[in-house]
Amino acid sequence: MDDVAETGTGAGAVGLRSAAELVDYVETVGVNKARLPLQSTVVLGILAGMFIGLGCLVYTLVTSDTALSFAARQMLGGLSFCVGLVLVVVAGAELLTGNILMTVAWASGKLKFSDLARNWAVVALANLAGSVLLALIVLYSGTLGLNKGLVATHALEVAGHKDGLNLLTALVSGVMCNLLVCLAVWLAYAGRTVADKILAVLFPITTFVACGFEHSVADMYFLPLGLMLRASGVVAPGVTSVTLGATVSHLIVVILGNIVGGGLLVGLMYHWAYRVKSAANAATTGQTSGAGK
C-alpha cells in the first residue's frame, strides 16, 4: 500500500512522522496510487484480496472453537485477522478500504474525482477476484474440514449472519469498520520500520474485528465462500439461505459505509485539520511580507 520509497538513511528518516507530515505523505501516496499502471493495480489488487482472505481464514479457524468464551473468541479472532492487513501494509498491495484515503489527495486538488472513482472501481474488482479465488482454493484445501468440520460450519454461519443484516446496520457497521482500518493505515504510514507498521496495525484492526464491523473486502471472501458451501451441501444452525442478490446488495452498502468511514471521518478530517491551518499560516506570512515592503 505504501508507494513512497523509504531510504532509511539521513536525519529525516529517524523517528515517526508527525501528524502534519502524515498529511503530506498520504497525499503523495494517493497520487502515486492513481498513477500506477493498470496491470500493476490489478495484480496488486488481486493480491490484496487474497491477503485479506487469508486473515479471514485464520479468523474463522480461531473463532470456530466453541470452547472459548465470547470475549476470547472475538479478541483472538480479531488478532488473528491482522495477518491480512499486515501482509497488505508490509508486503505491499492495493486494498480498496485503504485506498479510500486517496480522498486526501483529492481534497488538496492533486487528484480529480474521476481519478478516485477509476482507482476504486479497478481495485474493488481486483480485490473481489482475489477474494473469490482464495475462497475457491480454501474450499478444496481441506482446511474447512478441521475441528471435525466446525470450521466449515462456522464459515457458513459468518456468511449467513452477514447475508441477514439489514442495510442500515450494514452501512453504519461499514462506516465504523473503515474508520478503524484507515486509522490503522494512517498509523502504519507514520512508521518507518516493519516493526512500526505491524504494531500500528494490530490494535485498530483487532478492535474492528472484535466488534463485528463490516469490511467490504473481507465480505468479498466470506460471502462467496458461504455461497460455495451452501452449494456443496454444508448446513449450519440458523442459516436458512445465503443468496447472490443479498450478497451484492450487502457489498454495495458496506462499500459506501467504508467510503464514509475512511474517506470522510479519517482522510478529510485530517486534511481539514492541517491543510486549513497551513493555508491560514501561508496567508498570514504573505500579508506580513507584503507589509514589510
Side-chain angles (χ1 to χ4, degrees):
M1 294 173 68
D2 188 343
D3 297 311
V4 181
E6 296 277 13
T7 62
T9 59
V14 177
L16 301 178
R17 292 182 179 88
S18 68
E21 289 173 332
L22 270 173
V23 176
D24 289 331
Y25 187 78
V26 174
E27 283 179 7
T28 303
V29 170
V31 171
N32 289 346
K33 286 179 178 294
R35 293 176 179 171
L36 199 64
L38 178 61
Q39 178 177 321
S40 298
T41 302
V42 170
V43 173
L44 291 172
I46 291 172
L47 284 174
M50 296 183 73
F51 292 163
I52 295 302
L54 289 171
C56 295
L57 174 60
V58 182
Y59 165 85
T60 307
L61 184 72
V62 171
T63 56
S64 69
D65 188 348
T66 56
L68 295 171
S69 68
F70 170 75
R73 288 176 69 185
Q74 293 301 103
M75 291 302 295
L76 291 175
L79 186 61
S80 62
F81 179 83
C82 290
V83 65
L85 268 294
V86 168
L87 288 172
V88 169
V89 169
V90 177
E94 291 294 303
L95 182 66
L96 174 62
T97 47
N99 281 24
I100 286 171
L101 282 174
M102 291 170 68
T103 53
V104 178
W106 167 74
S108 298
K110 296 182 179 179
L111 291 177
K112 298 178 182 178
F113 185 78
S114 59
D115 296 323
L116 299 188
R118 180 172 57 252
N119 179 270
W120 291 351
V122 170
V123 170
L125 291 173
N127 288 171
L128 178 61
S131 299
V132 173
L133 175 60
L134 188 77
L136 187 61
I137 293 170
V138 167
L139 184 68
Y140 292 101
S141 69
T143 304
L144 296 175
L146 295 176
N147 196 11
K148 299 179 181 180
L150 287 178
V151 177
T153 302
H154 185 53
L156 184 55
E157 289 174 341
V158 172
H161 169 74
K162 292 176 179 295
D163 189 78
L165 286 177
N166 68 67
L167 296 184
L168 178 60
T169 300
L171 177 69
V172 177
S173 186
V175 171
M176 292 299 296
C177 167
N178 217 32
L179 168 65
L180 287 161
V181 170
C182 282
L183 283 173
V185 173
W186 196 275
L187 293 175
Y189 282 154
R192 299 181 189 271
T193 68
V194 170
D196 290 341
K197 295 176 185 297
I198 292 174
L199 185 61
V201 163
L202 292 182
F203 294 101
I205 299 305
T206 298
T207 300
F208 108 70
V209 177
C211 292
F213 298 140
E214 295 296 314
H215 186 280
S216 55
V217 182
D219 290 351
M220 291 176 188
Y221 166 87
F222 280 124
L223 288 167
L225 180 60
L227 292 169
M228 295 176 196
L229 289 170
R230 287 284 293 178
S232 301
V234 176
V235 295
V239 179
T240 57
S241 68
V242 179
T243 66
L244 181 59
T247 293
V248 172
S249 299
H250 176 91
L251 287 176
I252 291 172
V253 170
V254 171
I255 287 172
L256 291 175
N258 287 171
I259 290 172
V260 173
L264 173 61
L265 298 184
V266 179
L268 293 183
M269 286 295 190
Y270 274 113
H271 167 78
W272 291 329
Y274 290 101
R275 279 291 171 263
V276 172
K277 180 179 177 181
S278 297
N281 288 342
T284 301
T285 301
Q287 291 172 2
T288 303
S289 300
K293 291 181 180 179

